[in-house]
């Protein structure tokens, strides 16, 4: 089955700096790669996703890249703000709307 | 975006009792719902996939007789933790999806609920 590895487990940055979180996956059948932000005591919220027919996607300060050959994808947050502090999870699935396998999460702390 | 609710948001029960958690898609019909559990500071682990009107598919290692899932309608799925024990204490999160092709409201089709915190004493 699918296995998703996520690094780093914790990340501390200064406000305004960039943050990068990386994930690798094992199942070449996976074609959908979402990123979720989870605040304490709440369910995960989708922040961006990418499908295997796209190499990069950007939405304001957030971007995701995908290297399907190497089976890895990354989340990039630029101009970080304290409200970006949360736990971020990457995930992989066969397609959008199907079961997801999650990475172990990255706790991002943005200090002002 | 689409909204998924869970009820209750938190529950405390005694060991040996059963607890039912509801997951509802409020403004769309969910052909598939997923149940995840999350231990403190850990990732979400998929427990089961349920399709409306059919039996749930459980992930390896998840006891189907302990975690009963019912997906009676396109807007409601329930997870019942039977004979709960302290080790069942966890954060249970559901998600609901519309099959690709039927989605008309956004670029993604899986929506997560806010989670239910279960504590078994």
């Amino acid at each position: 089955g699918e296995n998703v590895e996520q690094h780093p487990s914790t990340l501390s940055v200064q406000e305004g700096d960039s943050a990068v979180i990386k994930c690798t996956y094992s199942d070449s059948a996976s074609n959908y790669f979402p990123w979720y932000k989870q605040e304490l005591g709440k369910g995960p919220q989708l922040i961006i996703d990418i499908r295997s027919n796209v190499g990069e996607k950007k939405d304001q300060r957030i971007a995701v890249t995908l290297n399907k050959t190497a089976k890895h994808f990354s989340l990039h947050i630029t101009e970080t703000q304290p409200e970006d502090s949360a736990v971020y999870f990457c995930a992989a699935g066969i397609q959008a709307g199907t079961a997801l396998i999650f990475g172990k999460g990255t706790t991002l702390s943005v200090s002002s | 975006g689409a909204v998924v609710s869970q009820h209750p948001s938190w529950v405390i029960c005694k060991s040996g009792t059963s607890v039912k958690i509801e997951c509802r898609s409020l403004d769309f019909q969910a052909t598939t719902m997923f149940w995840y559990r999350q231990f403190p500071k850990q990732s979400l682990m998929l427990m089961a996939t349920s399709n409306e009107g059919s039996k749930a598919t459980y992930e390896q290692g998840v006891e189907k007789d302990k975690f009963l899932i019912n997906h009676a309608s396109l807007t409601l799925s329930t997870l019942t933790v039977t004979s709960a024990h302290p080790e069942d204490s966890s954060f249970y999160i559901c998600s609901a999806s519309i099959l690709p092709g039927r989605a008309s409201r956004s670029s993604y089709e899986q929506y997560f609920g806010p989670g239910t915190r279960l504590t078994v004493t």
Side-chain angles (χ1 to χ4, degrees):
Chain A
E2 176 65 277
N3 181 48
V4 177
E5 298 284 341
Q6 183 172 346
H7 298 280
S9 56
T10 60
L11 179 59
S12 296
V13 299
Q14 290 286 322
E15 182 177 4
D17 289 348
S18 295
V20 180
I21 303 171
K22 298 182 178 182
C23 288
T24 61
Y25 63 100
S26 61
D27 191 349
S28 57
S30 292
N31 290 297
Y32 177 64
F33 308 94
W35 287 87
Y36 289 88
K37 176 182 181 181
Q38 187 178 30
E39 297 177 341
L40 190 63
K42 298 183 179 180
Q45 295 293 313
L46 181 77
I47 56 172
I48 196 167
D49 59 7
I50 191 167
R51 289 164 171 79
S52 60
N53 59 345
V54 176
E56 184 174 358
K57 184 177 178 180
K58 188 174 182 179
D59 182 5
Q60 298 183 335
R61 297 187 296 111
I62 296 173
V64 58
T65 60
L66 170 65
N67 183 327
K68 197 159 171 61
T69 301
K71 295 194 185 70
H72 64 71
F73 54 114
S74 301
L75 176 72
H76 304 251
I77 305 174
T78 58
E79 301 173 30
T80 54
Q81 302 167 2
E83 49 266 39
D84 293 331
S85 298
V87 180
Y88 291 81
F89 291 97
C90 63
I94 301 299
Q95 59 182 352
T98 61
L100 297 173
I101 303 300
F102 282 79
K104 291 188 182 298
T106 297
T107 300
L108 174 64
S109 299
V110 181
S111 54
S112 57
Chain B
V3 179
V4 175
S5 70
Q6 283 184 238
H7 178 79
S9 56
W10 60 270
V11 57
I12 301 173
C13 71
K14 292 186 177 180
S15 186
T17 61
S18 295
V19 175
K20 180 184 286 186
I21 302 170
E22 293 185 348
C23 176
R24 293 182 184 273
S25 55
L26 297 185
D27 55 356
F28 67 100
Q29 292 185 326
T31 48
T32 304
M33 287 186 171
F34 306 93
W35 286 95
Y36 296 83
R37 67 186 298 182
Q38 184 179 32
F39 291 108
K41 298 186 178 181
Q42 294 191 24
S43 187
L44 285 78
M45 300 299 294
L46 179 66
M47 298 176 66
T49 301
S50 75
N51 293 293
E52 183 264 339
S54 61
K55 290 184 178 180
T57 302
Y58 290 81
E59 294 298 300
Q60 190 174 8
V62 178
E63 300 175 58
K64 62 180 181 180
D65 294 331
K66 180 169 185 61
F67 298 99
L68 301 179
I69 293 173
N70 183 280
H71 194 160
S73 75
L74 286 173
T75 59
L76 174 64
S77 176
T78 60
L79 168 68
T80 301
V81 183
T82 62
S83 187
H85 291 285
E87 56 264 32
D88 297 324
S89 299
S90 187
F91 194 48
Y92 291 87
I93 307 172
C94 73
S95 69
S97 72
I98 308 170
L99 281 177
R102 295 191 186 187
S104 60
R105 58 175 65 245
S106 72
S107 62
Y108 64 96
E109 293 89 21
Q110 185 166 164
Y111 311 90
F112 280 81
T116 296
R117 173 76 58 194
L118 170 64
T119 301
V120 184
T121 60

